[in-house]
Amino acid sequence: MREDVKKILFLGWEEDKEIFFQRAQAEGVIHFIDPNQSGHKDIPQEVQHLMTAIKILRGLPSREQEENYNDLDADQVIDNILSLHEKNEKLLEELRVIAIERARIEVYGDFSFDDIALIEKKGKCKIQFFCARPNLFDERPEPENLIFIASEHNLNYYIAINDHPVSYERMSEMKFEHSLSQLRAREQAARKEQISIEHKLKPYAKDNEFLHHALVEKLNHYHLFNAQTYVQQTMEGKLFAVEGWVPMNKIDSLEKVIDNLNIYSEEIAIEPTDNIPTYLENQGLARLGEDLVHIYDTPSTNDKDPSLWVLGGFALFFAFIIGDAGYGLIYLLLALFLRYKYPTIKGVGKRVLNLFTVLCVGCVIWGTLMTSFFGMQIALDNPLRKFSLVQWLAEKKIAYYIHYDDEVVKDWVKKYPQLGNIKDPHTFISFSPNSDNHPVILNRLTDNVMFELALFIGVVHLILSLLRYTLRNWQHIGWVAFLIGAYLYFPLYLKTPSFLNYVGGIDLEKGGLFGFQLMMAGMGVAWVLSIIRHGWTGIFEIMVLIQVFADTLSYLRLYALGLAGAIVGSTINEIASGMPLIFAVLLILVSHFINIVLATMSGIIHGLRLNFLEWYHYSFEGGGRQFQPLKLVKRE
């Protein structure tokens, strides 16, 4: 949840300043205010060098870490690593340049520049090297004294022997500073030196843990020093004053900071120009949602904490898009393996693993409700069908059609006369015209149900977003009424029942007429309330109608992406069923893996997008600044 913060003034003796800031860093509850509003200061060069050294060590083969740090000098270790790395980079660049030079001269072979100079002196001639495109002499004769050598790299190479230096149109002269043998010798020496440097650099991999501890120490020192620069001196430097933000639920912690110090603290008024930080404090599942929230933006100080809402929506949308219990089971097994492999993982890593586990469980539950397992539909006589949400909805829908003798039932009876005397919904949807027990009616209804389910989830999700800020945006009441009315009216307009009709028992015609009236009334209420709330600019509120429609239809991506994954999965199984066993197994493993990867990407991108764009649009201001107190950085 989001906690309000108070602005506190600290005033004390200069001699107590250092102890005060050290205690504040240990407690980690004060976000000190920079009076100059200079923003973040540049990270010290020594910290940057340390971070660079750690990055270098990450690229080395791992080694058992050094446990005794007492005899190690961090600055010396960093200098050695950076020096060796710099030499290594220079050698790699030299090898790259040598490789380019070799590619240019190799076509001419290993010749001696001394021999070339002797020939030119004795023969009183000039030897030159040229290259050109292969088709240069297709339409014109080749110049005299030009000798073709070879074709390489989509170019033709020549030697020209003349009594004086010449140039040829559309040909490039090549000049060499070193012979091929010299380049090979230079390359061999550079490689030998580069290997030697790599051997000297690899042992430093054991100091990776030590450098991380050194980084934590330097960062803590830097943050402490940086916070002290916010101090303002008074009384000729005898007193210091500094302001800071403190969460309301952490005010009691200030006693630990100023206890037995000559420091006075007092709450002061918040100025209109103050950039108030946003403090979120969450535990458990809400903490996982908070991590997701910060991916997009930081809530403003006027926002309600959306952490649990975002987590719930993301888990549902991700599971909808995956839509397969088999894929969810693979996720879950991977999550359990990671938990077994890294039992002591902490911090961000642990929260990411917990989020992954939540998504895995959601996929298994949703896939079971959809009765889909690796692209295969679970048999109708399987006990798991008792938990099938999609089948239950399909039976409710067909029962509605049968009760009202709908045209849909008449069309099916006309196509399959065997259905004429069947009144039981389960038997009706289980009908298969072929011996393969393929329930065509259930499959057709399943697609319709999934389509409507995505739309229904979208309407509910947007209504919840609108209701969150109705006290702030009165016109949201009208748009909530509009969405409910639209969901009642459009089934009548399209002449097809919705969940509210065949599950909720609402009459299609009466509900549709009421829905149309509610739509019109909702738009009018939203328009009037917007004018009352915002003055004459509220007349443009009617334009929100387009936005509401677009946002609602955007949730159909859940159906489209879920259907795409299901079709790919079933197609893979169908193709594999007609192949030899070895090839079938290989196809299934590779293709389902690709399908899982694509579905995962879609689930993450669109699962978050529906929260961050469609849902945030009505219940999130954003643009806030994170609460960043002075605190001790710890090695996780």
Side-chain angles (χ1 to χ4, degrees), residues 2-147:
R2 183 182 63 79
E3 293 283 350
D4 289 333
V5 295
K6 290 186 176 182
K7 188 178 181 182
I8 306 295
L9 170 66
F10 299 93
L11 184 66
W13 289 105
E14 178 68 20
E15 60 189 25
D16 290 333
K17 182 180 70 175
E18 187 172 350
I19 298 177
F20 165 72
F21 277 99
Q22 289 175 352
R23 288 185 182 181
Q25 187 176 38
E27 201 63 28
V29 297
I30 307 174
H31 178 136
F32 289 102
I33 300 174
D34 181 1
N36 300 318
Q37 299 295 324
S38 56
H40 294 289
K41 293 181 170 59
D42 293 335
I43 298 176
Q45 193 173 38
E46 59 176 349
V47 176
Q48 296 183 34
H49 287 169
L50 180 50
M51 295 172 67
T52 302
I54 291 175
K55 290 180 180 179
I56 294 170
L57 295 187
R58 285 177 185 168
L60 300 178
S62 59
R63 288 196 173 194
E64 185 177 352
Q65 295 300 295
E66 180 69 52
E67 296 182 359
N68 184 12
Y69 304 153
N70 297 332
D71 299 331
L72 293 177
D73 182 353
D75 293 332
Q76 186 61 51
V77 172
I78 294 168
D79 288 342
N80 292 343
I81 292 173
L82 295 180
S83 177
L84 290 171
H85 180 71
E86 184 180 0
K87 291 179 181 178
N88 191 53
E89 289 296 308
K90 288 181 178 179
L91 287 171
L92 289 175
E93 176 62 20
E94 183 180 355
L95 288 170
R96 187 187 69 83
V97 173
I98 291 174
I100 295 174
E101 287 296 312
R102 279 190 56 181
R104 293 175 66 242
I105 199 173
E106 272 181 334
V107 68
Y108 294 105
D110 189 8
F111 59 87
S112 169
F113 287 106
D114 292 336
D115 292 342
I116 294 291
L118 181 61
I119 294 173
E120 289 179 334
K121 182 178 179 181
K122 296 292 185 181
K124 296 180 180 180
C125 62
K126 179 64 177 178
I127 299 177
Q128 295 172 274
F129 303 89
F130 291 92
C131 66
R133 295 185 178 276
N135 59 354
L136 180 60
F137 300 116
D138 288 351
E139 299 180 357
R140 60 178 177 137
E142 188 175 298
E144 295 183 359
N145 302 328
L146 192 65
I147 304 172

Side-chain angles (χ1 to χ4, degrees), residues 40 74 142 153 165 232 293 328 351 373 397 405 425 437 446 451 459 464 514 555:
H40 294 289
E142 188 175 298
H153 314 300
Q232 293 178 305
V293 168
R351 296 200 301 272
F373 193 80
K397 191 166 188 176
D405 195 22
N437 295 322
T446 296
F451 181 91
V459 170
L464 292 174
F514 175 74
Y555 286 84

Side-chain angles (χ1 to χ4, degrees), residues 192-227:
K192 185 176 180 180
E193 186 178 355
Q194 194 245 339
I195 292 172
S196 174
I197 290 176
E198 286 184 347
H199 281 304
K200 293 179 182 178
L201 191 58
K202 286 179 180 178
Y204 284 103
K206 72 180 186 304
D207 298 326
N208 190 25
E209 190 71 20
F210 164 65
L211 291 186
H212 275 87
H213 284 283
L215 177 61
V216 168
E217 183 179 344
K218 288 184 181 295
L219 284 175
N220 285 328
H221 178 75
Y222 163 65
H223 292 155
L224 180 63
F225 172 79
N226 192 41

Side-chain angles (χ1 to χ4, degrees), residues 493-544:
Y493 178 79
L494 299 174
K495 294 182 173 53
T496 180
S498 70
F499 293 156
L500 299 181
N501 303 122
Y502 59 82
V503 175
I506 298 176
D507 183 82
L508 179 62
E509 185 172 349
K510 292 181 180 179
L513 293 175
F514 175 74
F516 181 78
Q517 296 170 358
L518 193 60
M519 282 176 59
M520 298 298 106
M523 284 191 293
V525 168
W527 193 51
V528 171
L529 289 179
S530 181
I531 294 175
I532 295 174
R533 186 79 172 83
H534 302 292
W536 70 270
T537 58
I539 62 176
F540 298 106
E541 181 69 19
I542 197 66
M543 301 298 293
V544 177

